[in-house]
Amino acid sequence: VTQHLSNKYGIPIAHLPMNITPTGGTVSLADSSASVNFSPNATLQDLYVSITKLLNPSIEPTEGFRLLGSVYEIYAVNGAGMLVTQFAGNISLTFKYNPFELVGIDENTLKIYFYDEIFKQWVVLPSSVDTSNHTVTAITNHLTKFGILGVILPTIPMNSTQTPPYSVPEPTTFVLVSLGLLGILVLIKR
């Protein structure tokens, strides 16, 4: 799928430096928070690929999920200045996440999702989590807006009439008894 791409003034974008070829290639943000890797033959033409972190993306996650980090908009433009969104081969996306944002999130549920503009919802991509390097990787064949979502852990509300889900052992008391001249001390458990 291609469409004509122009800047905000309606002037066609041309002569962009091509950074992906039919042999493949990788584009990453300078801070290494996001990268896109095109496998060989994912595209049959040279492309300029860009990754943009969206500031304040007003896209709400699905109920029960939380968005970690940024939403990334990834797009590709061919030599004629046409937007290319669908590809014949695999594109690997890798996004970093901050482990300090995991409070209340199950790390093993992290996945990369794309935002479906038509249905206005997040759609999951097959993903893998690298908990050592704090990255999530997914495979796709199209470019759009992407983000990492994780499942919010359930919370159990407690009030003063509920007991905790664990038992607290009763304190143990010992009494020290001395048998005087024999020099024997005895501890008796009460």
Side-chain angles (χ1 to χ4, degrees):
V1 174
T2 61
Q3 70 184 66
H4 193 269
L5 187 68
S6 50
N7 66 17
K8 65 181 180 179
Y9 304 107
I11 301 169
I13 296 173
H15 308 296
L16 292 170
M18 299 296 133
N19 53 11
I20 298 295
T21 68
T23 60
T26 301
V27 175
S28 299
L29 286 178
D31 67 0
S32 301
S33 63
S35 67
V36 182
N37 183 292
F38 282 72
S39 64
N41 300 315
T43 179
L44 303 177
Q45 57 188 326
D46 291 349
L47 299 171
Y48 169 77
V49 175
S50 175
I51 306 170
T52 304
K53 280 186 185 180
L54 299 181
L55 303 175
N56 304 316
S58 76
I59 302 172
E60 293 297 319
T62 306
E63 187 175 336
F65 290 81
R66 190 167 75 214
L67 179 67
L68 263 68
S70 299
V71 172
Y72 300 97
E73 185 166 29
I74 306 171
Y75 68 88
V77 179
N78 65 18
M82 304 295 280
L83 185 65
V84 181
T85 58
Q86 295 288 327
F87 300 91
N90 288 335
I91 303 166
S92 173
L93 308 173
T94 301
F95 300 150
K96 286 190 176 183
Y97 62 91
N98 182 341
F100 296 109
E101 290 183 24
L102 290 172
V103 175
I105 299 287
D106 181 353
E107 186 172 22
N108 294 310
T109 67
L110 298 180
K111 296 193 183 318
I112 293 177
Y113 288 69
F114 71 89
Y115 190 70
D116 185 319
E117 298 282 349
I118 295 170
F119 293 105
K120 305 292 184 208
Q121 66 183 14
W122 288 100
V123 179
V124 68
L125 291 172
S127 304
S128 61
V129 180
D130 179 342
T131 57
S132 298
N133 293 310
H134 309 297
T135 61
V136 182
T137 301
I139 304 297
T140 187
N141 66 352
H142 74 286
L143 297 178
T144 186
K145 294 175 184 150
F146 299 92
I148 298 174
L149 275 71
V151 175
I152 298 172
L153 294 170
T155 56
I156 301 170
M158 290 185 53
N159 60 38
S160 60
T161 61
Q162 293 177 313
T163 57
Y166 54 87
S167 62
V168 177
E170 291 294 323
T172 304
T173 306
F174 290 95
V175 175
L176 181 63
V177 177
S178 171
L179 295 178
L181 296 174
L182 297 174
I184 299 173
L185 294 175
V186 178
L187 276 171
I188 300 173
K189 183 177 176 183
R190 285 183 134 187

